[in-house]
Amino acid sequence: MYPAELVKPMREDLTKVGFEELHTPEAVDAALAKEGTTLIVVNSVCGCAAANARPGARLSLENAKKPDHIVTVFAGVDKEAVAQARQHMVPFPPSSPSMALFKDGELVHMLERHHIEGRPAELIAENLVDAYNEHC
């Protein structure tokens, strides 16, 4: 587990733009059971989360169409919440960072770490925006 003071600014990268943090398996289930679209970001301390994933997620929200709900769990911190989120992302293997778009509780789009690592935030945002335009 990472110390709270270490991950605080990494959490705030998303919460400052409206992402709700989920800390328990029950909170994950409740968020994904909501009607409409939900983007869940599995946040991480790694460099690709800082340089690519979080900026890409934030940038994607500038689109006219966007998810009804935006939530996040933090790998290495919210262990049980992350495990529960990943259960909803099956058949994709666990990876962090990662992002998943759900519509009415059904997984409709997934970005795994290998889709994020080494790609600019703008490309990640474009990928998400395409999914928003299709599903939101």
Side-chain angles (χ1 to χ4, degrees):
M1 298 284 278
Y2 296 105
E5 59 276 1
L6 172 74
V7 299
K8 185 177 186 274
M10 298 171 203
R11 288 181 181 275
E12 290 173 348
D13 265 355
L14 296 176
T15 59
K16 71 182 177 188
V17 297
F19 279 83
E20 176 190 357
E21 290 185 301
L22 306 177
H23 302 286
T24 66
E26 296 80 15
V28 170
D29 288 343
L32 295 180
K34 290 181 179 176
E35 187 175 313
T37 51
T38 302
L39 175 68
I40 185 165
V41 174
V42 179
N43 202 349
S44 171
V45 299
C46 72
C48 66
N52 313 87
R54 293 190 299 266
R58 290 192 316 265
L59 187 59
S60 76
L61 298 176
E62 295 176 9
N63 191 50
K65 288 185 175 183
K66 51 190 154 203
D68 299 308
H69 315 283
I70 52 175
V71 299
T72 183
V73 293
F74 208 110
V77 178
D78 302 317
K79 183 179 176 184
E80 293 172 348
V82 170
Q84 189 64 18
R86 288 177 173 160
Q87 287 297 313
H88 290 275
M89 297 174 192
V90 169
F92 296 95
S95 68
S96 56
S98 61
M99 303 177 200
L101 183 65
F102 291 82
K103 184 171 185 174
D104 298 327
E106 179 184 338
L107 179 63
V108 294
H109 188 75
M110 183 76 189
L111 280 172
E112 299 173 81
R113 180 186 177 103
H114 69 89
H115 297 123
I116 296 168
E117 194 171 30
R119 290 180 171 77
E122 294 80 11
L123 188 59
I124 294 162
E126 183 180 312
N127 182 296
L128 290 170
V129 163
D130 288 345
Y132 301 164
N133 288 340
E134 181 178 347
H135 300 288
C136 296

